[in-house]
Amino acid sequence: MSKDKAAEKNGHSKKNGKAMSAAVSAGAAKSALSHVSPPLHQDPHAVRDTREKVLEVAIGHEVRAFRKKLGITVADLASATDISLGMLSKIENGITSPSLTTLQALSRALGVPVTAFFRRFEEERNAVFVKSGEGVDVERRGTRAGHQYTLLGHIGSDTSGVTVEPYLITLSEDSDVFPTFQHDGMEFLYMLEGEVVYRHSNNLYRMTPGDSLFFDADAPHGPEELTHLPIKYLSIISYPRGRGGD
């Protein structure tokens, strides 16, 4: 074999090796992500078709909640009300609509008024719409370092038991890096503009538009290097109600 052909063959071999290595790395990363991603336990596209169905689910939720609060089993409640186990199971799971007579029996056994079963159904479900540029600028720990926090919405009371704070964070020429944050809950970042090196615990992530970072906010985190200004990203913080963020 000539030297030219040997060199060409060697070059092809190295190129194929690099391509294979890159493919293996990409495959490993995808496999790792797939491995750590937990399965979703609810269908985000599920719709309760009718107002009647929503009422059945609401009543069932309250019956189960009152029963568990008393520390009694479905069998105990069935015995106290003369309602069959199968019917009670359907009521608690929102599969059937109980009659007024059944609701009266349940209210006596559980020690609550009949109207208590409709509480969840009657609760108002809120939504907040914020036009572009109309978010509320708020003071947070990073503000003194020139970080602008614009709150994009807030719902004071809902049924989830979780507080969610969506912010648009802007870092400009006047901004400095800031000592790391650490707080309860989870946080999700989505880059919109610029480039930043973001720290979470002992790891650094170079983020550009379209990149996202989702993490346990109890670990130290925050911008490490403001690479390309201006920087804008969404920060969505969630934590159990009654416990604060930064």
Side-chain angles (χ1 to χ4, degrees):
M1 184 183 297
S2 67
K3 290 183 179 180
D4 290 342
K5 288 185 177 180
E8 182 179 355
K9 182 177 180 181
N10 188 41
H12 281 304
S13 178
K14 287 183 178 179
K15 184 180 293 184
N16 290 339
K18 288 180 179 179
M20 184 175 293
S21 176
V24 169
S25 297
K30 186 175 181 180
S31 175
L33 183 60
S34 175
H35 178 70
V36 300
S37 298
L40 297 176
H41 295 292
Q42 64 177 352
D43 180 2
H45 304 293
V47 176
R48 296 173 182 144
D49 296 329
T50 64
R51 185 171 174 81
E52 290 75 17
K53 180 61 178 174
V54 175
L55 176 58
E56 291 170 4
V57 171
I59 291 173
H61 180 278
E62 296 304 321
V63 170
R64 181 186 290 110
F66 287 129
R67 175 178 62 77
K68 289 186 174 181
K69 187 175 181 180
L70 291 176
I72 61 176
T73 66
V74 177
D76 294 332
L77 186 56
S79 177
T81 57
D82 288 329
I83 301 172
S84 70
L85 281 171
M87 177 58 71
L88 273 178
S89 178
K90 288 181 179 179
I91 291 173
E92 288 198 357
N93 288 292
I95 297 173
T96 189
S97 182
S99 67
L100 284 175
T101 302
T102 298
L103 288 177
Q104 286 177 333
L106 288 169
S107 72
R108 286 194 296 267
L110 296 170
V112 297
V114 171
T115 54
F117 299 130
F118 300 93
R119 181 183 61 187
R120 178 170 290 262
F121 176 72
E122 293 173 345
E123 285 180 347
E124 184 179 355
R125 302 300 192 266
N126 297 318
V128 176
F129 176 66
V130 178
K131 291 286 289 182
S132 176
E134 294 184 1
V136 178
D137 292 342
V138 298
E139 292 282 334
R140 291 182 68 87
R141 286 180 55 221
T143 305
R144 61 179 180 268
H147 298 194
Q148 180 182 345
Y149 292 81
T150 304
L151 184 63
L152 299 179
H154 175 70
I155 295 178
S157 178
D158 59 49
T159 60
S160 69
V162 176
T163 296
V164 179
E165 298 178 0
Y167 293 97
L168 172 62
I169 298 180
T170 303
L171 310 181
S172 63
E173 298 291 343
D174 298 326
S175 302
D176 296 322
V177 293
F178 192 77
T180 52
F181 302 100
Q182 195 169 3
H183 54 85
D184 292 329
M186 306 295 291
E187 186 164 352
F188 176 77
L189 306 182
Y190 185 82
M191 282 293 293
L192 299 173
E193 184 179 344
E195 183 177 333
V196 65
V197 175
Y198 201 90
R199 173 179 293 279
H200 178 259
S201 188
N202 295 322
N203 300 310
L204 296 175
Y205 301 90
R206 185 171 298 277
M207 301 183 67
T208 56
D211 292 344
S212 63
L213 186 62
F214 183 46
F215 54 85
D216 184 342
D218 189 48
H221 59 276
E224 180 81 6
E225 177 187 326
L226 310 183
T227 309
H228 187 266
L229 295 166
I231 295 167
K232 287 187 178 182
Y233 58 89
L234 291 176
S235 169
I236 302 174
I237 302 170
S238 62
Y239 51 88
R241 187 166 297 133
R243 301 169 72 178
D246 291 336

